[in-house]
Amino acid sequence: MPPSSPHVAIVGAGPAGSSAATFLAQQGARVTLLERNHFPRDKTCGDGCTPRALWMLERLGLGALPGTEAAMVDSVYTISPGGVVLEIGIPARLFGGKACAIPRQVLDERLVQRAVQAGAELREGVRVEGIERDASGILLRCRDGEPLRADVVLGCDGSPSVVRRALGAPDFPEHEGAFAVRAYYENVQLSHPRSMAFFWEEELLPAYGWIFPLPGGRANVGLGMRADQLAASGAKLPELMEKFCASPNVARELAGARRLGKVKGHHLPFGSFARHTIFDRALLLGDAAGFVNPLTGEGIEFALESGAFAAEAVAEAVASGDFSARGLGGYGRRWETRFRTAFHLNRRLMRAFERPRLLDRIFRAADRSARVRDELIDILSGEATSISWRFLAAVVLGR
Ligand SMILES: Cc1cc2nc3c(=O)[nH]c(=O)nc-3n(C[C@H](O)[C@H](O)[C@H](O)COP(=O)(O)OP(=O)(O)OC[C@H]3O[C@@H](n4cnc5c(N)ncnc54)[C@H](O)[C@@H]3O)c2cc1C
């Protein structure tokens, strides 16, 4: 960045905020990272990092996560509604074929430490309550604190987002978001300890659940469902979670295990509704922008990558001296190119994954054909951007 470095205020020190802070500080920007909590802090999540999320962690200098903190996985284990069981290895072509699960309490602290090490100033216990923009900059109003002036603000405050609302972006409609719950278990002895396990239990559809292994014999167990379907069903997610844990496939995995703490839930916005992300002197990143895979609920990789895209766009705005939405427009071009097709494909695939017989056919086809398995692992890893005719033919024709 040129000598007159901009002052970038980042609201929220989750994966999006810490990633943006690290890349911006490395470019020489003055960065203030505002976080309402104190680290280490928890974040309700499945704790699963896709192969691409691991690649982003490497780019941020966090490649070597110790085994005491992260459980490495190299396959996906799934059971369809009709009981078709698959275990598919993550191929090396997907960022080396590795994924992991790491408690967010640990991951987010590592990420924020990295941002501070890169030169960002972290202010903890600061809740941003609103922003005001004028020709000369941004003013952030903080509860119990002095207002902060900056040249640009990055809204990385998750869902729901104070910055998003202050910028006038619309809320996510019910059908463009989900709710998910998770609980931690200890003393777990999983049948596939190096797999991320996904379960589509017929009586719980369209909800689906997961078990992700964690170090020290622990696991993250959870369940999610689209918000409008949940409201229409009249069901409560914590009750569905109890049914999920009692279902035979899941109960077998959790035999002898003990639940730790409470079942906790949170909202997930869908990437298929992500379109309001660039404003004069402001960008929205991560969940605040809606960057979550509608099918799998994964958002960490998008949060991390949107941090890199935002840093590049801010550098361009600095070079042109233009902090308007136009000057920051490179952000939109970057994320649209990388995320948009996948978000829309996964939103469409969601419908197929809600239909038990169709899901059984997909899994049977994958069991028969290495080519279909290859596409299915791309879908479950969040890397698919299209579905081939061969895949469709194998599912529809059953051969
Ligand atoms: C149950 C569940 C399971 C999930 N499982 C997975 C998974 O396995 N893998 C995956 O990739 N994704 C998963 N996700 C999605 C993932 O959690 C999010 O996509 C990810 O956390 C987004 O990161 P972020 O940095 O945008 O926001 P967040 O992680 O939400 O971070 C936002 C930060 O902003 C802070 N903040 C909020 N408001 C303010 C304010 N006003 N002032 C200051 N600070 C503020 C918060 O305290 C927080 O630290 C799951 C989500 C849920 C709910």
Side-chain angles (χ1 to χ4, degrees):
M1 295 222 184
S4 56
S5 306
H7 179 201
V8 184
I10 301 180
V11 184
S18 291
S19 165
T22 303
F23 287 119
L24 280 162
Q26 283 172 343
Q27 291 170 13
R30 193 182 141 213
V31 178
T32 309
L33 186 50
L34 304 165
E35 168 58 48
R36 67 181 174 193
N37 287 311
H38 291 265
F39 287 94
R41 64 105 180 85
D42 195 12
K43 154 74 177 92
T44 302
C45 187
D47 301 333
C49 287
T50 56
R52 187 182 285 271
L54 273 190
W55 169 69
M56 278 306 305
L57 291 177
E58 265 171 40
R59 283 182 61 189
L60 284 158
L62 291 173
L65 295 165
T68 47
E69 297 186 345
M72 298 308 293
V73 300
D74 38 37
S75 64
V76 170
Y77 173 73
T78 60
I79 304 188
S80 80
V84 185
V85 179
L86 287 177
E87 188 184 0
I88 315 178
I90 304 172
R93 65 182 165 76
L94 298 184
F95 302 98
K98 293 264 177 289
C100 82
I102 173 168
R104 289 291 298 273
Q105 189 164 9
V106 176
L107 176 67
D108 288 22
E109 190 176 30
R110 293 286 165 274
L111 281 165
V112 82
Q113 283 167 347
R114 182 74 193 96
V116 170
Q117 190 190 35
E121 182 199 348
L122 172 66
R123 295 192 195 166
E124 295 174 86
V126 177
R127 182 186 291 266
V128 173
E129 292 194 315
I131 62 168
E132 283 152 34
R133 287 175 295 169
D134 57 30
S136 63
I138 296 260
L139 189 72
L140 291 95
R141 283 184 286 104
C142 309
R143 187 187 291 177
D144 304 329
E146 290 288 300
L148 182 76
R149 263 212 163 270
D151 296 302
V152 180
V153 64
L154 304 185
C156 304
D157 48 340
S159 174
S161 157
V162 168
V163 178
R164 182 183 177 91
R165 184 147 298 170
L167 291 168
D171 290 340
F172 282 80
E174 263 197 335
H175 63 280
E176 290 292 353
F179 283 101
V181 288
R182 69 98 176 102
Y184 286 117
Y185 279 79
E186 65 176 358
N187 203 29
V188 175
Q189 292 190 324
L190 300 176
S191 62
H192 294 74
R194 287 191 64 91
S195 294
M196 284 182 172
F198 295 95
F199 302 83
W200 285 270
E201 297 289 333
E202 181 141 14
E203 64 279 14
L204 294 175
L205 283 173
Y208 85 90
W210 68 83
I211 302 182
F212 294 165
L214 290 169
R218 286 178 302 136
N220 182 314
V221 182
L223 180 89
M225 190 168 172
R226 219 171 70 198
D228 59 324
Q229 293 170 324
L230 184 64
S233 73
K236 302 269 174 275
L237 266 188
E239 288 162 18
L240 292 182
M241 173 79 165
E242 298 313 328
K243 282 193 188 157
F244 175 64
C245 293
S247 65
N249 291 325
V250 178
R252 206 169 29 247
E253 297 291 337
L254 297 179
R258 267 187 312 276
R259 188 178 284 176
L260 289 166
K262 289 187 182 156
V263 175
K264 288 189 177 173
H266 200 79
H267 178 251
L268 295 119
F270 287 168
S272 34
F273 190 72
R275 54 187 80 118
H276 311 89
T277 60
I278 308 173
F279 307 81
D280 289 342
R281 294 187 176 275
L283 298 174
L284 294 176
L285 282 68
D287 277 16
F291 296 155
V292 173
N293 180 329
L295 179 67
T296 62
E298 283 150 356
I300 297 172
E301 65 170 65
F302 301 106
L304 294 172
E305 208 169 0
S306 62
F309 293 155
E312 287 162 15
V314 170
E316 285 167 358
V318 171
S320 66
D322 179 3
F323 291 113
S324 70
R326 194 188 156 92
L328 290 165
Y331 178 62
R333 286 190 290 281
R334 285 177 174 83
W335 79 252
E336 295 246 357
T337 307
R338 230 294 284 146
F339 304 163
R340 177 67 85 197
T341 319
F343 286 155
H344 285 286
L345 173 72
N346 285 300
R347 183 68 179 76
R348 286 200 300 276
L349 280 170
M350 211 179 166
R351 273 186 229 128
F353 275 64
E354 287 163 1
R355 298 170 62 184
R357 296 295 74 85
L358 184 55
L359 205 44
D360 286 340
R361 288 181 83 95
I362 295 173
F363 279 44
R364 263 190 235 112
D367 199 24
R368 281 191 306 270
S369 151
R371 210 186 283 266
V372 174
R373 267 199 306 284
D374 239 28
E375 285 196 46
L376 187 57
I377 193 71
D378 281 359
I379 293 170
L380 296 174
S381 308
E383 287 299 323
T385 50
S386 64
I387 296 296
S388 74
W389 285 109
R390 272 183 220 272
F391 183 95
L392 292 176
V395 172
V396 174
L397 303 176
R399 53 182 142 88

